[in-house]
Amino acid sequence: MDETARLEVDGKTYELPIVTGTENERAVDISNLRGETGLITLDPAYKNTGSCRSAITFIDGDEGILRHRGYAIEDLADKTSFLEVAFLLINGELPSADQLEWWRQSIRYHTMLHEDLKRLFGAFPKDAHPMAVSSSVIAALSTFYPRDLDPHEPIEVANSVLRLIAKFPTVVAYAYKHSLGQPFLYPDNSLRYVHNFLRLMFGTPCEPFEVDPVVADAIDTLLVLHADHEQNCSTSTVRLVGSSHVNIFGAISAAINALWGSRHGGANQEVIEMLEAIANEGLTARQFVDRAKDRDDTSRLMGFGHRVYRNYDPRAKVIKKKAEDVLNKLGVTSKLLEIAMELEQIALDDDYFVSRRLFPNVDFYSGVIYKALGIPVNSFTVMFAMGRLPGWIAHWVELHKDRQAIGRPRQIYVGPQARPVPPLDQR
Ligand code: ACO
């Protein structure tokens, strides 16, 4: 027999279906609640609200588990490349060798930006944040492909998906090149995805550019680790904005802005700024942790805490190890990594963090490794966006496959009751 929950209101009992997911997550289905009872549910910040059914990613925040389409993130990070994970997220299965070859070729074909679009970069100040530049350029891409914007035409969607994945590294690199006043390179389609990106970022037309395989491998792993995280703020933005049937470029542009905030992807930049401030101000890790605990101080221990994980973020574990490996291989010592490890140790032993179940999240160590790899600090968040892009796309595709209605939450109104507009001289 199907399970139900009972709700008693005004002496009447209502039966509400209980929905169970493949990992036994349970939800009370309240979609008919208002029709039957006149009531809505109130859940600011959606701490307790499932917005959809999704077959893409599973997270168990208590156990620290993250799986994409059933595959553990640790396994994917160990055995697959970013483009394989992108294929998995968007298409549902890992690609065969032939499919992977086709996928790589198709993406390579679309790496250039229209020459007219390149001029848009020049309109931004040199110190424009790359997230602002990227969200603008991605929205602007829609104007160059007006024949491929219908969310209900599979071929048009497939073209736009390839363009987004192919052009995003070019956009990120051009935002950086513009900030330096250096010329934009054309993509080199003989290179692999990350190698091409590194050349676009750090190469110049005057000298040959050698990609360091240690750096390329570490960036690839970081992209894999960021590829999806179910209904986080930016992905929910994709779903909400996408539900209006805007084209995919518009939805992804909105997601980039959602990711930019310091409580979300922007935290990776803030972590490194925090570590640098600790080093520059000569603070001890203990002193900073005490500040982060102080309610009268606005500092938070950036890179700590997560809405879903009440355990160590599995991505942070992989990144921490990768950071140590990469620094060893590159022969670099990092004062910032030392401070980060000390902060972590103190926080994990401190009752404030223990009692609130605050652990390092994906952003805690990613900045240290990006910095060691030579990525400029204000590009950290846009690196996160490059990694998260396939996840956003997968959710946009799923939203349309499931024919989800336009997202439209309700509210409890707490403003003034009806009143007449007073004449101007009586206000
Ligand atoms: N440092 C100090 N205290 C913290 C921290 C932190 N990093 N995170 C949470 N807390 C405290 C809060 O002050 C609050 O304490 P209280 O109960 O005494 O009021 C309690 O822990 C719960 O915190 P909330 O903000 O209510 O938790 P929520 O689930 O809403 O927020 C969030 C999660 C936004 C990630 C939060 O932990 C945070 O701001 N962390 C720092 C920013 C960060 O690293 N963001 C990246 C998240 S991962 C990602 O987006 C990829």
Side-chain angles (χ1 to χ4, degrees):
M1 207 180 75
D2 290 339
E3 261 190 300
T4 55
R6 272 198 214 112
L7 176 72
E8 216 176 283
V9 185
D10 299 334
K12 255 183 107 178
T13 303
Y14 300 91
E15 301 263 342
L16 300 166
I18 292 187
V19 179
T20 307
T22 48
E23 293 287 347
N24 295 322
E25 286 180 301
R26 296 160 85 219
V28 179
D29 179 349
I30 51 104
S31 44
N32 292 328
L33 185 68
R34 187 167 175 274
E36 288 177 18
T37 66
L39 293 168
I40 62 166
T41 53
L42 182 63
D43 182 21
Y46 311 132
K47 290 195 176 193
N48 201 39
T49 293
S51 63
C52 60
R53 295 171 203 236
S54 178
I56 301 169
T57 288
F58 170 71
I59 299 176
D60 182 331
D62 291 324
E63 297 296 325
I65 292 173
L66 168 61
R67 293 188 209 124
H68 299 317
R69 307 278 190 190
Y71 298 111
I73 189 65
E74 296 86 349
D75 213 12
L76 290 169
D78 194 30
K79 298 182 188 147
T80 63
S81 66
F82 176 60
L83 287 190
E84 285 171 85
V85 173
F87 187 99
L88 169 72
L89 291 169
I90 296 167
N91 298 298
E93 294 295 341
L94 282 166
S96 66
D98 285 348
Q99 285 171 323
L100 182 58
E101 190 44 36
W102 166 83
W103 181 238
R104 285 193 178 131
Q105 286 294 359
S106 313
I107 288 169
R108 274 187 197 130
Y109 183 74
H110 290 286
T111 49
M112 280 201 297
L113 296 190
H114 193 291
E115 292 295 314
D116 294 341
L117 180 58
K118 282 160 77 175
R119 291 211 305 272
L120 184 56
F121 291 86
F124 290 99
K126 293 280 181 224
D127 58 356
H129 198 284
M131 290 296 270
V133 178
S134 306
S135 71
S136 309
V137 174
I138 295 299
L141 271 178
S142 63
T143 63
F144 288 83
Y145 303 103
R147 283 196 288 278
D148 278 333
L149 298 182
D150 187 340
H152 307 107
E153 281 298 330
I155 293 182
E156 296 185 26
V157 170
N159 286 338
S160 297
V161 166
L162 291 173
R163 287 190 181 114
L164 273 166
I165 297 176
K167 293 180 198 302
F168 206 89
T170 317
V171 172
V172 174
Y174 286 3
Y176 179 52
K177 286 295 187 199
H178 171 66
S179 76
L180 298 178
Q182 287 187 3
F184 301 160
L185 298 187
Y186 284 105
D188 178 346
N189 289 349
S190 69
L191 297 178
R192 299 183 64 145
Y193 190 77
V194 171
H195 292 235
N196 175 52
F197 165 67
L198 289 170
R199 183 184 153 275
L200 288 174
M201 270 301 265
F202 301 116
T204 64
C206 8
E207 285 171 12
F209 181 77
E210 285 281 320
V211 176
D212 183 334
V214 174
V215 174
D217 173 62
I219 299 267
D220 199 281
T221 305
L222 283 162
L223 295 178
V224 167
L225 292 172
H226 286 88
D228 189 44
H229 215 236
E230 50 117 305
Q231 311 308 322
N232 56 83
C233 177
S234 55
T235 303
S236 297
T237 299
V238 168
R239 283 187 172 264
L240 187 60
V241 174
S243 75
S244 74
H245 291 191
V246 69
N247 63 74
I248 193 167
F249 298 103
I252 299 294
S253 172
I256 295 170
N257 287 319
L259 185 71
W260 189 3
S262 63
R263 294 275 158 105
H264 193 11
N268 62 10
Q269 177 173 340
E270 300 230 353
V271 169
I272 218 76
E273 287 166 357
M274 169 186 81
L275 298 174
E276 284 175 341
I278 294 172
N280 295 340
E281 290 171 31
L283 289 174
T284 63
R286 175 84 259 167
Q287 282 169 323
F288 188 82
V289 168
D290 287 341
R291 264 198 204 171
K293 287 160 53 179
D294 184 353
R295 277 180 174 275
D296 297 328
D297 192 315
T298 52
S299 314
R300 276 193 169 194
L301 183 52
M302 298 310 287
F304 251 72
H306 197 277
R307 171 59 61 78
V308 181
Y309 291 120
R310 302 301 180 198
N311 201 329
Y312 213 104
D313 180 337
R315 301 166 300 173
K317 270 193 197 150
V318 180
I319 293 187
K320 183 180 177 186
K321 182 158 181 327
K322 197 86 191 168
E324 288 172 305
D325 284 357
V326 165
L327 292 172
N328 275 340
K329 281 190 191 149
L330 297 176
V332 178
T333 51
S334 167
K335 176 82 188 143
L336 299 186
L337 180 62
E338 281 169 30
I339 298 175
M341 289 170 115
E342 204 185 335
L343 283 173
E344 177 189 335
Q345 207 44 57
I346 293 173
L348 292 182
D349 285 339
D350 190 300
D351 187 54
Y352 175 95
F353 293 88
V354 174
S355 62
R356 289 170 178 76
R357 302 180 72 187
L358 302 169
F359 290 86
N361 61 50
V362 67
D363 289 329
F364 194 65
Y365 285 107
S366 63
V368 173
I369 182 167
Y370 282 135
K371 195 165 164 62
L373 297 174
I375 303 291
V377 174
N378 81 346
S379 292
F380 287 1
T381 313
V382 84
M383 294 299 298
F384 188 153
M386 198 190 322
R388 183 55 54 87
L389 180 63
W392 289 334
I393 293 172
H395 284 272
W396 187 88
V397 169
E398 186 175 71
L399 161 90
H400 287 292
K401 195 170 111 258
D402 293 349
R403 297 177 176 278
Q404 201 170 301
I406 188 165
R408 203 318 186 169
R410 289 187 177 264
Q411 63 167 19
I412 295 293
Y413 175 70
V414 294
Q417 291 189 316
R419 50 184 175 161
V421 175
L424 194 53
D425 60 357
Q426 289 171 30
R427 287 179 221 164

